[in-house]
Amino acid sequence: MDITKLLNKESFSKEEIIRLLQVIGKEKVLLFQKSAEVKQKYIGNKVWFRGLIEFSNICGKDCLYCGIRKGNKNLTRYNLSDDEILAAAKFAFDNNYGSIALQSGEIESPAFTKRVIKLLNNIKELSDGKLGITLSVGEQKPEVYKKWFDAGAHRYLLRVESTNEELYRKIHPNDKKHDFQRRLDCLKSLQDIGYQTGTGVMIGLPFQTLDDLAGDLLFMQKFDIDMCGMGPYIEHADTPLITYSDKLLPLNGRFDLTLKMIAILRIMMKDINIVAATALQAIDPIGREKAVKIGANILMPNITPGKYRDSYKLYDNKPCTDDSAEDCQSCLEARVSLADAEVIYGEWGDSKHYERRRGTMAQRHKGLFCTPKKLD
Ligand code: 5AD
Ligand code: FES
């Protein structure tokens, strides 16, 4: 099919997505033009910050790709004190970031649940309820998610990593702690509780095919996610998956594929929040800005205290590990303007899709409408 016709379709089949993932030259330019147009129309040329606090690299799991996996004895484990976390949140608030994101390795315990509740309460208090809070601390019981939601977290990011169960099993240990179905169940309970729910995948994993990636995008659409964070897979020397390095696409191929995934998703889901992942910058110094230009609208400046950053290495060559929070902000601002976009300060920058979805749900509950509200 002619590319212009294809790009103007209301929805894509799997085959059409695979075709779009392979475009080169003029066709690629047209894909990126279309996704940029969609972003401009539904979101505007805007970017919102989530100040990222990686508060601990202690992880109970052993994902085969991840540098902070439990089995990696080759790094110093850290756990920020509550005061350090609150100071970072205060920095975000004082600098008028609308939101922060709290991220850590995955721990399931009553003590961890309680700690996060306390942090949420304290952050709400120090910001007079004004800082938006995204949580990204992995798989937890539904009642734990609910407690955190009630304590003020309103967005949750849980990447599914791959929606092909067979591939999921190849990149995780095969045990109860790394269960594909549980990941899906967790996403569902987050959505049911009322979080703005985000997921995403790694792109360019060993064994991954274009068919898998197209399936990932269709999953996101069907699940009706509000936010997406997806980035290139980057090998880490101290992980089991390093054995397959010779099976990978070159880094620039993974980068290119990630931009195409973002562009296609923007066309498919016009009003969701899409993060320009930090991993893009590990490959191209202006990788995140390129993502902003073609569809992403969220950036996550790292505001973890500098001395810990080197120890939160999910993958090799992670950028900005020795900058301070202030450096990250001014550098990002300059970069965003390079992408002809504008940073919006002092706003949560909630997913518009969420508002539309919730609006529709509320109406459905009142029995007023049965069909989703349409975008113009
Ligand atoms: N390369 C790229 N991304 C990675 N992540 C973990 N390890 C890697 C890697 N080697 C991503 C996962 C996880 C997120 C916090 O970081 O998608 O969900
Ligand atoms: Fe920590 Fe996967 S290694 S959640």
Side-chain angles (χ1 to χ4, degrees), residues 165-325:
E165 184 166 3
E166 217 177 292
L167 175 57
Y168 190 92
R169 284 165 184 263
K170 286 191 179 138
I171 60 169
H172 295 96
N174 264 318
D175 58 28
K176 268 173 61 190
K177 254 194 181 170
H178 300 81
D179 182 55
F180 179 68
Q181 190 55 47
R182 173 144 201 247
R183 183 67 60 113
L184 299 184
D185 293 345
C186 283
L187 278 171
K188 187 78 183 71
S189 54
L190 288 165
Q191 195 179 53
D192 288 347
I193 288 165
Y195 281 96
Q196 290 173 56
T197 306
T199 194
V201 295
M202 282 176 288
I203 295 155
L205 285 161
F207 318 111
Q208 193 178 42
T209 63
L210 293 184
D211 195 278
D212 293 332
L213 290 171
D216 292 336
L217 294 181
L218 289 168
F219 169 88
M220 293 181 209
Q221 186 174 46
K222 181 152 186 249
F223 190 87
D224 210 12
I225 58 164
D226 304 303
M227 326 183 287
C228 177
M230 55 187 168
Y233 164 68
I234 300 175
E235 55 274 47
H236 187 298
D238 299 321
T239 60
L241 276 199
I242 196 74
T243 335
Y244 303 103
S245 299
D246 57 335
K247 300 220 169 353
L248 301 173
L249 279 175
L251 277 173
N252 60 0
R254 282 175 252 166
F255 181 87
D256 188 59
L257 208 46
T258 303
L259 286 191
K260 287 177 185 166
M261 286 284 283
I262 292 176
I264 299 167
L265 184 64
R266 173 57 73 209
I267 300 169
M268 290 169 68
M269 301 192 77
K270 301 181 180 349
D271 56 353
I272 63 168
N273 279 349
I274 303 182
V275 183
T278 312
L280 284 165
Q281 197 189 333
I283 300 181
D284 180 332
I286 53 162
R288 284 187 291 185
E289 297 64 33
K290 289 184 178 168
V292 165
K293 257 202 147 121
I294 58 102
N297 65 318
I298 303 290
L299 276 173
M300 300 175 73
N302 199 330
I303 56 168
T304 310
K307 63 180 168 175
Y308 298 110
R309 287 204 206 164
D310 210 30
S311 303
Y312 203 88
K313 280 209 171 148
L314 305 169
Y315 44 83
D316 286 336
N317 202 18
K318 192 172 173 221
C320 302
T321 51
D322 39 39
D323 294 344
S324 71

Side-chain angles (χ1 to χ4, degrees), residues 4 84 149 156 257 262 273 341 366:
T4 315
E84 284 172 315
F149 185 76
Y156 205 104
L257 208 46
I262 292 176
N273 279 349
K366 282 192 225 140

Side-chain angles (χ1 to χ4, degrees), residues 119-155:
L119 286 169
L120 291 167
N121 287 333
N122 291 342
I123 293 166
K124 285 287 162 194
E125 201 178 293
L126 74 83
S127 69
D128 210 8
K130 290 192 181 113
L131 261 184
I133 308 175
T134 306
L135 277 180
S136 180
V137 294
E139 294 175 8
Q140 304 283 341
K141 295 196 182 78
E143 54 270 30
V144 173
Y145 287 145
K146 175 79 170 78
K147 282 185 184 159
W148 292 341
F149 185 76
D150 291 341
H154 57 123
R155 311 186 189 107

